[in-house]
Amino acid sequence: MAPESADQDNPQDDPETYVGLSAEAAEERAYARGWTTVRSLPPDAIITMEYLSGRLNFAVEKSTGNVVRCWKG
C-alpha cells in the first residue's frame, strides 16, 4: 500500500489566494482556515527544506508588508 500524502493534514486552501494581502490579514485568514503554523519570511530568505504538514509559508515584501509568495510546508 502506498503511503498517504502529507497534504491530507493541510486545509483545503489555495496558497495563491494569500498573495497581495497584508502579512497580518494573511496570517489571520490562514489560522481561521485551519493552518496550525504560519511562517513569514523575507522573499530572499534562506530556509531549510523540511516539510511540515499544517504549515503555510509567506514571503513578505518588507517595503509594502504584503505577501508576494505563499506555499505549503
Side-chain angles (χ1 to χ4, degrees), residues 9-59:
D9 293 335
N10 290 329
Q12 296 302 310
D13 195 14
D14 181 8
E16 289 299 314
T17 64
Y18 294 88
V19 175
L21 296 176
S22 70
E24 296 81 19
E27 185 173 342
E28 281 182 28
R29 179 185 287 186
Y31 283 124
R33 291 185 176 179
W35 294 96
T36 57
T37 306
V38 177
R39 180 168 65 169
S40 294
L41 307 157
D44 57 352
I46 297 171
I47 58 173
T48 59
M49 295 299 294
E50 79 276 352
Y51 183 92
L52 180 61
S53 185
R55 177 171 65 193
L56 195 61
N57 300 287
F58 299 133

